Amino acid sequence: MSTELPPVAPEVLAEAVENLTARLRKKLDDATAGCADTAVHEADGSVTFRFGEDALVTLRPGPAGTVTEAGQATCTCLLAPRCLHRAAALGAAPLADAAPPEPEPAVTAGTEQATAAGAAESAEAGASAEAGSAEPAGPAGPAEPVPALTAAQLGAAAALWHAAAEALAAGVTAGGAVVQAELLRAAHTARLAGLPRAEAAALRVVRGLRAARERRTAHRLGDLTGSFRELLHTAGVLASGAADPALTGTSRRAYAAGGSLQVHGLCREPVLSATGYGGVVTHLLAPDGSRYSISDVRPGGLARARGAGRASVALGGATLDHAGLARGGLRIVGATVSAEGRLGAGRGVKATPLPGAPWTDGPAAPLFARPAAEAVAALLADSADAADTETTLIGCDVVVVGPAGDHLLVREALPHAPLLRLLPAHPHPELPHTENLRRIAAYPGLRLRVLGRPDLDRAATLRPVAVGPVPGEPYTLRLPEEWLGRADLGYERLQGEHFPPPDTAAPATGPGPVPAPASDAPDPLADSPLWRVRRLLETGVAGGRRAVAEAARGTAPLAAYGPLRRAGLTGAADLATALAAEADRRPRDAFGRLADPSPDGYAWAWLAAATHLAGAERSLVAASWTATPSGATSAAP
């Protein structure tokens, strides 16, 4: 698939595949392969594909650059529009977002938009790229009665569950264009029924299947496994009749009147989406500790993500740019705020710049006042949804231990604190996160104040967004005064002058235990035998039901799940065994036909094992933030 081709709306591709005969569907994958290499961009903005002498497919995207209607894709062959050529050309193009991102609504004070918080998870382009930037603004209001799901929503959820179960049973190896089209058709039905979160989950699975089949370097089987878990969970619960607003989601973000606010800049970070969106989000804090953010994310990719750090802030006539706001503040009158803490740019909003405050003073000081383990524990306890944990920044003071593989090992400057891993918040090589961490790693013993986002898929891992010097420490960063005591790792590049000279190096020992060597950093998640369950689930995603069934034959289950039982993980062992047995259960009648061809039983067994594994791994990750490194001994203060 070429990223230069115009994106195609999922429903257009689904309809094109649905119109094919059974014979043509078998040839669709071969016809799509290599199709993008023959694309020709015409002067009028259209894209043409040549199939032999008599077939020419033309894609004419609309004003937004997306093919959103069936009439925008034509073919000159006799079978058009029910031809293989047209479906292959549409399948070679990238998938468009479910709903094209719109500018933030011009909300006047007291006006509420009829949308919801599920948009943060809907499209990978704008919504999911910005999802990491929004945080709850404060306690929610009184709970309203949850409306029951309509018959259309129940039917759409059931259809999406069936399509997801079929795709899971097929796996990547058999999850070609036809299987993907069935998912897209079910996703479009869910969108029309008002289930945007389910639709977004289905689109993530389709994109993951495409990436896996095309063997893209950015593809990770673990990510596709998580996407399948999210899709099956959402569709299954909705199909059962549960009307939780968190599961139905929303197509746009709601903005309500927020009154008068005073916010201070915390930091800024670039936003970069895999589907071509880029920009910046600036995190803000109110004096009472409430968290807000202002974002500017639009099409433009890496170039815009790099340049948006100094773009003007479009809020109430403020004269600041994002660089100035990250170290300054705003007094806002008539503010409009979304449920996630996003500040809207309404016509009635007025903003006045305020002087900035360093991390040591003002609302940012409490972020560094408690251990990171307590902050993570509170985050896990307060977040009912795993997505909520990906949007919160925590702070801590650390001592640099040294590099270890692809990450930097640090230790919190507290007695008996565990080793923490620092990973780049954005690993793109054109962004300075990785380079800045590499420079920091060259100064063992450096005292550092870190503000970052905990990665709850890895043991004791923090993805730093900004760093600063530790007050009162001689061996710490020496930043320019105009930086106001912090450096945004996504926009500023640390140089040699920002580090202390060698003669001020701190002693090897400090408060708390002596850090373990970098190669001996404990990792309870990697050391756990749960990897056996994870491998079984990923085997099912890659090879389908047939690959999992191989694990049910012979003595393999006894050898594979014995270590789980010996480690006390009997629940994981039982669910993995049940999954393998269900995958191999294919009853047939007297004529050799499948007596129960439905994949529902297999999908439920897979989902049960995947949900249990996610919970068990989350528990191990939470424990890793409080565990003292093995073999560490206390050092004299």
Side-chain angles (χ1 to χ4, degrees):
M1 182 186 70
S2 173
T3 57
E4 298 180 356
L5 298 181
V8 173
E11 60 270 20
V12 175
L13 174 58
E15 182 182 5
V17 176
E18 186 179 13
N19 290 335
L20 296 178
T21 64
R23 181 179 62 85
L24 292 180
R25 290 186 183 188
K26 295 179 181 179
K27 301 179 179 181
L28 182 56
D29 288 330
D30 292 335
T32 304
C35 183
D37 297 334
T38 65
V40 177
H41 295 262
E42 304 295 343
D44 61 353
S46 63
V47 181
T48 58
F49 303 80
R50 172 67 67 178
F51 294 87
E53 297 181 358
D54 301 327
L56 180 68
V57 178
T58 303
L59 301 183
R60 293 184 176 88
T66 303
V67 178
T68 57
E69 300 178 1
Q72 294 174 338
T74 60
C75 181
T76 59
C77 76
L78 297 177
L79 293 179
R82 303 173 180 270
C83 64
L84 179 65
H85 315 119
R86 180 172 174 272
L90 290 172
L95 284 178
D97 294 322
E102 302 179 9
E104 288 184 345
V107 187
T108 57
T111 302
E112 180 174 348
Q113 301 294 322
T115 59
E121 303 175 1
S122 58
E124 287 185 10
S128 71
E130 300 176 51
S133 63
E135 301 187 12
E144 298 181 358
V146 178
L149 293 179
T150 64
Q153 289 176 321
L154 289 173
L160 187 56
W161 164 267
H162 180 72
E166 293 283 0
L168 178 67
V172 172
T173 55
V178 175
V179 172
Q180 296 171 23
E182 293 296 330
L183 269 175
L184 293 177
R185 169 63 71 182
H188 182 58
T189 304
R191 175 186 178 186
L192 296 179
L195 301 175
R197 174 168 176 172
E199 180 206 15
L203 293 183
R204 284 194 293 271
V205 169
V206 173
R207 289 189 176 104
L209 287 173
R210 283 188 167 195
R213 290 178 63 84
E214 295 168 8
R215 299 181 180 180
R216 300 181 203 165
T217 55
H219 164 69
R220 290 184 65 249
L221 188 57
D223 293 339
L224 181 55
T225 302
S227 297
F228 262 111
R229 184 184 70 246
E230 167 68 13
L231 173 59
L232 289 171
H233 168 74
T234 303
V237 175
L238 288 173
S240 68
D244 186 352
L247 291 176
T248 55
T250 57
S251 57
R252 290 181 59 189
R253 186 173 287 108
Y255 285 83
S260 298
L261 295 175
Q262 180 176 322
V263 293
H264 296 273
L266 188 60
C267 64
R268 58 183 167 144
E269 63 172 320
V271 175
L272 185 61
S273 164
T275 50
Y277 285 77
V280 62
V281 58
T282 299
H283 300 276
L284 307 167
L285 276 178
D288 62 356
S290 299
R291 306 189 184 202
Y292 300 91
S293 64
I294 296 178
S295 67
D296 182 5
V297 180
R298 302 176 188 176
L302 177 64
R304 194 173 193 289
R306 297 173 63 180
R310 291 196 171 275
S312 298
V313 176
L315 182 68
T319 58
L320 289 175
D321 58 14
H322 281 272
L325 179 58
R327 294 184 173 90
L330 288 175
R331 180 177 287 108
I332 307 173
V333 178
T336 57
V337 189
S338 73
E340 301 88 4
R342 189 70 53 85
L343 296 176
R347 286 175 294 181
V349 178
K350 303 297 181 183
T352 305
L354 293 174
W359 282 355
T360 54
D361 301 323
L367 291 177
F368 306 93
R370 62 175 176 174
E374 292 184 10
V376 172
L379 178 63
L380 292 173
D382 295 340
S383 299
D385 193 339
D388 296 338
T389 63
E390 301 174 358
T391 65
T392 302
L393 299 177
I394 66 173
C396 58
D397 294 344
V398 300
V399 180
V400 175
V401 176
D406 62 343
H407 54 266
L408 169 63
L409 280 181
V410 299
R411 176 174 58 85
E412 209 171 353
L414 294 171
H416 306 289
L419 287 171
L420 305 181
R421 297 165 176 82
L422 301 187
L423 282 176
H426 298 273
H428 196 287
E430 295 297 326
L431 295 175
H433 294 89
T434 303
E435 179 184 348
N436 283 330
L437 289 185
R438 189 180 298 115
R439 285 185 175 273
I440 293 173
Y443 292 84
L446 182 73
R447 266 57 176 178
L448 201 64
R449 176 157 284 186
V450 177
L451 183 70
R453 187 173 293 110
D455 186 344
L456 300 182
D457 291 330
R458 298 170 179 260
T461 299
L462 192 66
R463 294 187 180 271
V465 175
V467 296
V470 177
E473 292 288 347
Y475 196 61
T476 187
L477 292 177
R478 301 186 176 185
L479 302 179
E481 292 185 4
E482 58 270 20
W483 286 16
L484 210 63
R486 67 257 204 179
D488 297 327
L489 295 180
Y491 288 104
E492 276 110 14
R493 295 183 182 272
L494 297 176
Q495 306 295 336
E497 61 185 8
H498 300 146
F499 292 92
D503 56 1
T504 60
T509 60
V514 176
S519 59
D520 296 334
D523 190 345
L525 189 60
D527 297 338
S528 168
L530 286 173
W531 65 266
R532 300 172 183 272
V533 183
R534 190 184 316 113
R535 184 174 64 179
L536 179 67
L537 296 172
E538 293 179 353
T539 297
V541 171
R545 179 172 183 167
R546 183 173 301 178
V548 177
E550 295 296 330
R553 302 190 177 108
T555 60
L558 297 177
Y561 308 131
L564 286 169
R565 299 185 188 280
R566 290 192 292 271
L569 301 171
T570 55
D574 291 341
L575 290 172
T577 304
L579 171 61
E582 179 63 29
D584 199 36
R585 190 184 67 83
R586 306 285 281 181
R588 297 182 181 272
D589 59 18
F591 299 98
R593 297 170 300 190
L594 286 176
D596 183 16
S598 173
D600 287 355
Y602 170 73
W604 281 117
W606 188 94
L607 178 59
T611 303
H612 184 277
L613 175 65
E617 290 183 335
R618 181 61 61 90
S619 298
L620 289 176
V621 169
S624 69
W625 284 86
T626 58
T628 302
S630 58
T633 58
S634 299

